[in-house]
Amino acid sequence: AQTVTQSQPEMSVQEAETVTLSCTYDTSESDYYLFWYKQPPSRQMILVIRQEAYKQQNATENRFSVNFQKAAKSFSLKISDSQLGDAAMYFCAYRSAGGAQKLVFGQGTRLTINP
Amino acid sequence: ETGVTQTPRHLVMGMTNKKSLKCEQHLGHNAMYWYKQSAKKPLELMFVYNFKEQTENNSVPSRFSPECPNSSHLFLHLHTLQPEDSALYLCASSQGAQASEAFFGQGTRLTVV
């Protein structure tokens, strides 16, 4: 079974600075997808960024980018120019490319933005 | 408008009660999911429905009974729950394509007393 580990329960960053959230995963599959989801106080999970494992290029989405290291099974999220609205719980998630359509989530990292 | 709507937002129920959670998606998706989010635990997948058929039951106790009458609606019927079942229950949907993202509702905060 696949597992996802987020080793940082809490992180904080000054507004406008850059922060990196860590995620590692374990799988024997070669084809899969990785996601970062954001959960603000409204509780809705919002997709931040997605990475296909077969793509070597790291995904970017405006101020959000990932560092995908397939051999190391590492998938970190970098948030540049942090804004107050970025404060939330961030979840790393794994999904197999085939078979059941289900996400395996990490424990989450609570990100605080200091003004 | 999130595309995935869950009702109620909050629910308090006794252990002998019967209640239902409702999820509706307006995105034309063909797969729907129930997840459980407990304090200090990762989100846990409970059920997966694909084209109204249940394709995954992640060893969920029978006191949780899902129902998917059509691709747009998903219910979770609750009966004789335990206090440890108190959690945030999240519904999600996806188009089913391999790279498709899942869209989540805002959840139902359930408290069992």
Side-chain angles (χ1 to χ4, degrees), chain A residues 69-104:
Chain A
Q69 301 290 326
K70 191 172 184 180
K73 297 180 182 175
S74 171
F75 183 62
S76 61
L77 174 69
K78 185 171 81 171
I79 306 175
S80 304
D81 186 24
S82 298
Q83 300 176 359
L84 294 177
D86 294 333
M89 283 290 291
Y90 284 81
F91 293 93
C92 179
Y94 171 103
R95 175 182 166 183
S96 298
Q101 304 155 336
K102 59 181 182 180
L103 294 166
V104 178

Side-chain angles (χ1 to χ4, degrees), chain B residues 89-107:
Chain B
Y89 289 85
L90 289 163
C91 173
S93 70
S94 71
Q95 184 56 38
Q98 290 185 351
S100 174
E101 69 176 275
F103 289 80
F104 285 80
Q106 291 182 290

Side-chain angles (χ1 to χ4, degrees), chain A residues 4 31 33 35 37 39 42-47 50 52 91 95-98 100-107, chain B residues 2 9-10 31 33 35 37 42-43 45 48 50 56 88 90 96-102 104-107 109:
Chain A
V4 177
D31 198 12
Y33 303 91
F35 306 84
Y37 277 88
Q39 187 179 38
S42 67
R43 305 182 324 206
Q44 186 187 9
M45 300 284 280
I46 302 166
L47 180 67
R50 172 179 59 231
E52 291 89 343
F91 293 93
R95 175 182 166 183
S96 298
Q101 304 155 336
K102 59 181 182 180
L103 294 166
V104 178
F105 285 88
Q107 304 92 321
Chain B
T2 66
R9 292 292 308 278
H10 302 271
Y33 315 77
Y35 283 88
Q37 186 176 20
L43 277 85
L45 178 70
V48 178
N50 199 18
E56 185 98 9
L88 179 67
L90 289 163
Q98 290 185 351
S100 174
E101 69 176 275
F104 285 80
Q106 291 182 290
R109 173 71 65 190

Side-chain angles (χ1 to χ4, degrees), chain B residues 17-66:
Chain B
N17 291 160
K18 290 184 179 181
K19 296 287 184 183
S20 296
L21 310 185
K22 179 182 177 182
C23 176
E24 183 175 3
Q25 58 97 358
H26 312 276
L27 302 168
H29 290 165
N30 51 34
M32 296 187 76
Y33 315 77
W34 280 115
Y35 283 88
K36 176 183 179 182
Q37 186 176 20
S38 305
K40 300 182 181 179
K41 290 178 68 176
L43 277 85
E44 300 171 85
L45 178 70
M46 300 176 72
F47 300 104
V48 178
Y49 276 82
N50 199 18
F51 291 101
K52 301 189 300 179
E53 298 297 320
Q54 186 180 126
T55 58
E56 185 98 9
N57 178 338
N58 201 22
S59 303
V60 181
S62 60
R63 57 185 184 270
F64 294 91
S65 175

